[in-house]
Amino acid sequence: MTTAVRVLGAFGAAVDGAPVDLGGPRRRSVLARLVAAHGRMVPAERLVEELWAGTAPPRAAAGLQSFVSHLRRALEPGRPPRTPAQVLVTEAPGYALRLPGGDVDAWRFDALIDEAAALLDAGDPSGARRRAEAALAEWRGPAYAEFADLPWAAAEAARLDERRRLAVERRADAMLRLGAAAGAVPDLETHAAANPLREEAWRLLALALYRTGRQGDALAALRRARTVLTEELGVDPGPALRRLEVGILAQSPDLAHPEPPAGTRPILRLAPEPLS
């Protein structure tokens, strides 16, 4: 029997591919909170506090136990009576979700993004691109949207959204190393427009534009980055953006080709001039 849980997009669970009834909002939030804990135990007292937001009734602990019992029946419908639960387990002084990493979409998502980074560092852009694309395919909408008014859910949703941005950038980085700059440009333009304070988004976009023969557009992108950073944060662009502009203006041959594998990249020694 395989139990799967989804939190990226519409929240839900399935057993052997068939959706299961998780019950009402508080029951559902118990499972969602345990997913956010990444398999770690969450104390029962904390669950009560987070479920009722400081307004727990006198028998809240009993209510939590009832929610857990319902979820156990939903997630393990074939479990014989009076046998220990294997999915939503009791671990003093609370509860934990015990599922393989591949059975929870957010856990798969995190693992794939980490694997993409490791493969980039190892000089395998093809593998990194596949992992990043697989991670982005898991994203079916905002995480934990059903629980957006709960502080723990808002924090975890923000973390996962940041991870999604990293996946976009790691995919683009891999594409640039593979010589697929033209294919990377549209997504990077959208990404930079949606996240104008991310210097890495602008760096990748400018480099992709330059490698497709659009030097003027690359410089314009860097100047837009400088304007946004100055007006919104009151800071100048960082060294990576400054070095890239110098390289583009000098038409450095090192910028015109995919980067070699990690450990063999030449070091550009360019003067750290500010963006103009």
Side-chain angles (χ1 to χ4, degrees), residues 242-262:
R242 296 198 301 269
R243 285 196 299 268
L244 179 57
E245 189 194 34
V246 171
I248 290 173
L249 288 170
Q251 297 187 353
S252 169
D254 297 299
L255 297 181
H257 304 286
E259 298 177 16

Side-chain angles (χ1 to χ4, degrees), residues 197 223-237:
L197 301 181
R223 293 188 178 110
R224 288 200 304 275
R226 182 191 66 81
T227 298
V228 170
L229 292 169
T230 301
E231 292 181 354
E232 296 292 330
L233 300 180
V235 299
D236 292 326

Side-chain angles (χ1 to χ4, degrees), residues 33-42 87 89 91 95-99 104 107:
R33 178 63 181 86
L34 294 176
V35 171
H38 299 268
R40 296 184 296 272
M41 183 274 296
V42 180
V87 175
V89 303
E91 182 178 317
Y95 303 97
L97 189 65
R98 293 284 184 259
L99 284 174
V104 180
W107 300 357

Side-chain angles (χ1 to χ4, degrees), residues 189-249:
E189 288 178 329
T190 300
H191 181 59
N195 303 279
L197 301 181
R198 292 182 74 85
E199 294 195 37
E200 181 65 0
W202 290 110
R203 185 189 74 82
L204 290 166
L205 173 59
L207 183 56
L209 289 167
Y210 181 75
R211 287 185 177 173
T212 56
R214 298 167 61 182
Q215 179 177 351
D217 289 338
L219 291 170
L222 292 173
R223 293 188 178 110
R224 288 200 304 275
R226 182 191 66 81
T227 298
V228 170
L229 292 169
T230 301
E231 292 181 354
E232 296 292 330
L233 300 180
V235 299
D236 292 326
L241 291 184
R242 296 198 301 269
R243 285 196 299 268
L244 179 57
E245 189 194 34
V246 171
I248 290 173
L249 288 170

Side-chain angles (χ1 to χ4, degrees), residues 5-12 31-32 35-36 104-106 141-145 147 160:
V5 183
R6 306 180 308 274
V7 299
L8 303 178
F11 176 72
L31 179 59
V35 171
V104 180
D105 61 353
Y144 298 98
F147 315 101
L160 288 166

Side-chain angles (χ1 to χ4, degrees), residues 108-216:
R108 286 195 304 273
F109 178 74
D110 269 328
L112 287 164
I113 295 169
D114 289 341
E115 289 170 12
L119 289 166
L120 284 172
D121 289 342
D124 182 3
S126 294
R129 179 179 180 178
R130 288 193 296 271
R131 297 301 195 283
E133 288 177 343
L136 291 168
E138 296 286 352
W139 193 270
R140 295 176 176 84
Y144 298 98
E146 181 178 327
F147 315 101
D149 58 335
L150 301 175
W152 66 263
E156 182 65 2
R159 185 191 72 81
L160 288 166
D161 202 40
E162 170 62 17
R163 297 283 284 171
R164 182 185 60 82
R165 297 185 190 101
L166 286 175
V168 171
E169 291 165 3
R170 287 170 184 171
R171 176 179 62 183
D173 190 350
M175 292 176 72
L176 289 175
R177 298 189 197 194
L178 292 166
V185 167
D187 282 345
L188 283 171
E189 288 178 329
T190 300
H191 181 59
N195 303 279
L197 301 181
R198 292 182 74 85
E199 294 195 37
E200 181 65 0
W202 290 110
R203 185 189 74 82
L204 290 166
L205 173 59
L207 183 56
L209 289 167
Y210 181 75
R211 287 185 177 173
T212 56
R214 298 167 61 182
Q215 179 177 351

